Structure formats: structure tokens, C-alpha cells
Amino acid sequence: MTLWSRTRTAVYGEITRTAMELFLERGFEATTIDDIAAAAGISRRSFFRYFGTKEDVVLGDLVARGELIRDAFEARPESEDPWTALLGALHSVKDAADETDAEMLKVFKMVHQTPSLRARSIEKHLQWQALLTPEVRRRLGADPADPFDVRAEALVATVLTCLDVAGEAWARGDGAVPLEGLFDAAAAAVRG
Amino acid sequence: MTLWSRTRTAVYGEITRTAMELFLERGFEATTIDDIAAAAGISRRSFFRYFGTKEDVVLGDLVARGELIRDAFEARPESEDPWTALLGALHSVKDAADETDAEMLKVFKMVHQTPSLRARSIEKHLQWQALLTPEVRRRLGADPADPFDVRAEALVATVLTCLDVAGEAWARGDGAVPLEGLFDAAAAAVRG
DNA sequence: GCCGATCTGGCACTGAGTGTCAATCAGGCA
DNA sequence: TGCCTGATTGACACTCAGTGCCAGATCGGC
């Protein structure tokens, strides 16, 4: 761990904290990157060296979370059918989340109220989908060269859609009901 | 039909045709709105009087198509369960599409290759979801005041996700297999 | 103490999207 | 026919996100 990478991580965290504060205070769209840079004590240009877009400040770690989900999924016993294994993997990653529900709720609401954030968030889910699909294809015994075998894609996309639906309901209902339960209910409505 | 609204419709169509030509020729992102305006013989400012965003030129009529789907869905016999009725509604609207497969394929490929278009397209699907959900809730007998009954949202979102998965596979495979079949296969993988 | 790699700020630029204003033009009315 | 109202248009200026470029500062190894 060199000093460069240490300061880099520190600055990264500082920008995130400062920006999230501004976002929650005056809204995502009403906060410009100049605002964030000024508040974090860096130049506008440097902001873009840490984050590709303004949305990435909010959604950046979704990529890492996707990799966690994939790992959890691959660790599932081979005896489980893919659907059950996917549900299990998502549950285990939810349990390991380090944020409090209150923080998560604020972020969820912001994402679901801001079109550009919602769009990016769905884009990240598509990346999750791409991460998870190969293992599902393997478990289903699908021909890797067949572009028309859509079973794996359909299963993965559906599970992630259920997560999205559950998240939306959770945010709309102010988190009064646990997210896991909503997710299970959504999954059951599709497969039950 | 006054002359104003007639010219308005004509200009709308002219912009669409001109823009799509440019998009397919040099790509969506490489075509600026200045290019479109110049080619269509209007001012940059007027372009934004007909289309809110550049993406809307490609995806604009998805809103109208969503209303068609809703109408087709509501016309389905009460005896069908929601899932079957949703599949039927989507099929009937696909059949009524007036574009050729070749044109549709080009547009599909463009949408699936361009991040901003892909994101907007999914946003439109979310609007379809909002259009279809109330009727599904009614058919399921869900309490309209219960924000935590996610069954209807889950069903609608899943069906649309299957459509999306099918569309992606269809475009990836150059339309060599009919879209309807891919859609049915995706739906069967989830529910079968 | 020197050298190369990396980080940083500043500047200029493109491109999307918005607000404003004056000019234009269709349509109704006297 | 001539006028008035309201919708449309083009032009200009502006904000904001995002990118390319360059010169200077800073760190790490030799």
C-alpha cells in the first residue's frame, strides 16, 4: 500500500461523503459537479479522474456488489436448481451489506425519484446479469455457442427484476416492511 | 385537422426519417442534433420543439405502443390468468407491428449497442409496467391501498423482462430465429 | 540529488438541453 | 380586404456534463 494509493482512496471517500451530503440536502439534479468539487476542495477536472459520471458517485459500488453476488452464487451447492441458488445468493449478499437501513432507504428513494439515476442503476443490473448468466448456462447445460438459448438470461433477468420491484416497493413504503420479504414475495408471485 | 397540425405532423415525420437515416449511416452517438437539424432544414431549437431528447427520435413511439399493449391486455377474457393474458397481449401487439423485420432489426441492434438508448428504452418499459400493473392488480384482487403487495408488479416486470431478453438474443443472432419464439422460450424458462 | 511515472489544476472545447425574444404566419372577425 | 390573436419559428445566450491537452507539482526508486 503506497502513499499514492492511500491518498487516492482517501480522496475517493472524501468526494463520496461530501457529494452524498449535498445530494441528500438539495437533491441530485440540483447539485452540480462544480458544487461537489468546491465542497471537496478539488478541481472540477479531478472529480472526473475519480468518477466517470455524477451518477457513479451514488452507484459506483454496485459493480463490486455484483461481483459479490456472482461469487456467492458460484459457491452455492451444485444440487440446488439455478432459481433457488440465485435467490440464496442474493439473500446472502443482502445480509452482508454494511449500510444501515435508514441510509439505504434515502439512497433508494433518490435513485427511484431521479430518472438518470434510475437508468444507470438498471444499467448496473444489466452488468450483474452478464456476470451471473455464464454460471447459470453452465448449470443448465446450455450450449455455450447457441445464441438463441435464452433460458439462463431469462432466469437471471427475472430474479434481478424481482429485486428491483421489491426495492421500489420498499422505498415507496418507507421501508416499513423488510426488503427480503418483499423480494421473496415477488419471486413467489412469478414462480409459485 | 387544421393546417398547423398537418404541417406539424409532416415536419415530425420528416425529422424522424432524416434522423434515422443519419443514425443508421454513421451511428447514433456520432450524429449530433446540429447534423439532424441541418439535414432536415430546421433550426436546432426547433428540433427540441418536436423531440425532448435525441433518444426520443428512435424510441418516441414506444409510449404509443405501450398504450396498445395495455388496451390489448384489458381486452383479454377475464377467465385467463394474468400471466397468460399478458403473454397474449404482447403477442397480439407484435403481430400488428407495421415495420419490416429488417428495419426493426437495425433499430434493435442500434438500441442494444448504444448505452444511452438502452437506458431510455428500459425507462419506456418501466412506463409500460406502470400502464399494465393496475389491471393486473385488479385481476389479482389486490388491495389498491397496499403498497407492499408486489405480485402484480413482479408479474408485469417479469413478462417485460422476458421480452427484453428475447429482443437482445434476437438482435445478437441477426434475427435468424423469430422473436416470438424466443419470447415464448424465455417465458417458459421462468414459469415452465 | 536526479529521473520517470503519476497526480493535479487550468483552459478550451464539444454537445445536450433550456430560456428568452422578436419576427413570422395561419385563421377568425369586422 | 385589413386587423388582431395565438401558435410557430429562428437566433442568441446560457448552464451543465464530459473530454482532451498541457504544464507544473509530487512521489518513489536509483
Side-chain angles (χ1 to χ4, degrees):
Chain A
M1 180 70 88
T2 158
L3 187 130
W4 268 345
S5 62
R6 255 185 296 134
T7 48
R8 200 173 164 79
T9 330
V11 173
Y12 188 92
E14 181 62 23
I15 298 177
T16 305
R17 270 187 299 279
T18 312
M20 290 304 290
E21 223 169 282
L22 292 175
F23 289 158
L24 295 174
E25 183 185 322
R26 49 175 107 156
F28 180 81
E29 288 171 320
T31 307
T32 71
I33 292 179
D34 284 297
D35 295 338
I36 301 171
I42 58 167
S43 75
R44 201 184 116 70
R45 193 66 188 83
S46 279
F47 172 89
F48 285 109
R49 292 203 175 89
Y50 287 90
F51 296 95
T53 67
K54 199 168 76 167
E55 287 78 20
D56 281 347
V57 180
V58 182
L59 304 173
D61 62 341
L62 283 190
V63 176
R65 190 159 303 190
E67 287 161 7
L68 286 181
I69 295 173
R70 183 201 51 200
D71 295 345
F73 176 54
E74 287 176 355
R76 283 271 147 183
E78 203 83 20
S79 58
E80 278 182 337
D81 68 306
W83 177 264
T84 312
L86 281 168
L87 297 187
L90 283 177
H91 270 117
S92 67
V93 171
K94 281 291 129 188
D95 293 342
D98 52 346
E99 305 150 305
T100 70
D101 268 18
E103 290 167 2
M104 212 166 112
L105 187 60
K106 283 181 196 165
V107 175
F108 259 65
K109 282 190 168 184
M110 190 166 75
V111 171
H112 284 271
Q113 279 166 10
T114 313
S116 70
L117 273 176
R118 185 106 171 85
R120 288 268 176 188
S121 146
I122 294 173
E123 257 183 90
K124 304 281 181 187
H125 273 206
L126 288 178
Q127 290 177 26
W128 291 9
Q129 195 177 316
L131 282 177
L132 291 169
T133 301
E135 172 71 3
V136 176
R137 288 183 75 96
R138 192 190 64 74
R139 293 196 180 207
L140 285 174
D143 174 8
D146 181 4
F148 297 120
D149 188 339
V150 292
R151 293 175 298 155
E153 276 87 357
L155 280 176
V156 174
T158 296
V159 168
L160 292 179
T161 289
C162 286
L163 183 62
D164 201 55
V165 164
E168 185 155 3
W170 186 67
R172 200 172 39 223
D174 267 319
V177 163
L179 177 58
E180 292 83 356
L182 292 170
F183 174 55
D184 288 337
V190 174
R191 270 238 151 171
Chain B
M1 181 69 90
T2 159
L3 188 132
W4 269 343
S5 62
R6 254 184 296 134
T7 49
R8 200 174 163 79
T9 330
V11 173
Y12 187 92
E14 181 61 24
I15 298 177
T16 305
R17 270 187 301 277
T18 311
M20 290 305 288
E21 225 168 282
L22 292 176
F23 290 158
L24 294 175
E25 185 185 321
R26 51 175 105 157
F28 181 80
E29 287 171 322
T31 307
T32 71
I33 292 180
D34 285 296
D35 295 336
I36 302 171
I42 58 168
S43 74
R44 202 185 114 70
R45 193 65 187 82
S46 279
F47 172 90
F48 284 109
R49 293 203 176 92
Y50 287 89
F51 296 95
T53 68
K54 198 166 75 164
E55 287 78 19
D56 282 347
V57 180
V58 183
L59 305 172
D61 63 341
L62 283 190
V63 176
R65 191 160 302 191
E67 287 162 7
L68 286 181
I69 295 173
R70 184 202 50 200
D71 295 345
F73 176 53
E74 287 177 355
R76 282 271 148 183
E78 203 82 20
S79 59
E80 279 182 338
D81 68 304
W83 176 265
T84 311
L86 282 168
L87 297 187
L90 284 177
H91 270 117
S92 67
V93 171
K94 281 290 128 189
D95 292 341
D98 52 346
E99 304 150 306
T100 71
D101 269 18
E103 292 167 359
M104 213 167 112
L105 187 59
K106 283 182 197 163
V107 176
F108 259 66
K109 281 191 169 182
M110 190 166 75
V111 171
H112 284 271
Q113 279 165 9
T114 314
S116 70
L117 273 176
R118 185 108 171 86
R120 288 268 178 188
S121 145
I122 294 173
E123 256 183 90
K124 303 280 180 185
H125 274 205
L126 288 177
Q127 291 177 27
W128 291 8
Q129 195 176 316
L131 282 177
L132 291 168
T133 300
E135 172 71 3
V136 176
R137 288 183 75 97
R138 192 190 64 74
R139 292 195 181 207
L140 285 175
D143 174 7
D146 181 2
F148 297 119
D149 187 338
V150 292
R151 292 175 298 154
E153 276 86 357
L155 280 176
V156 174
T158 296
V159 168
L160 293 179
T161 289
C162 285
L163 182 63
D164 200 56
V165 165
E168 186 154 5
W170 186 67
R172 199 173 40 222
D174 266 320
V177 162
L179 177 58
E180 292 83 356
L182 292 170
F183 174 56
D184 289 337
V190 174
R191 270 238 152 170

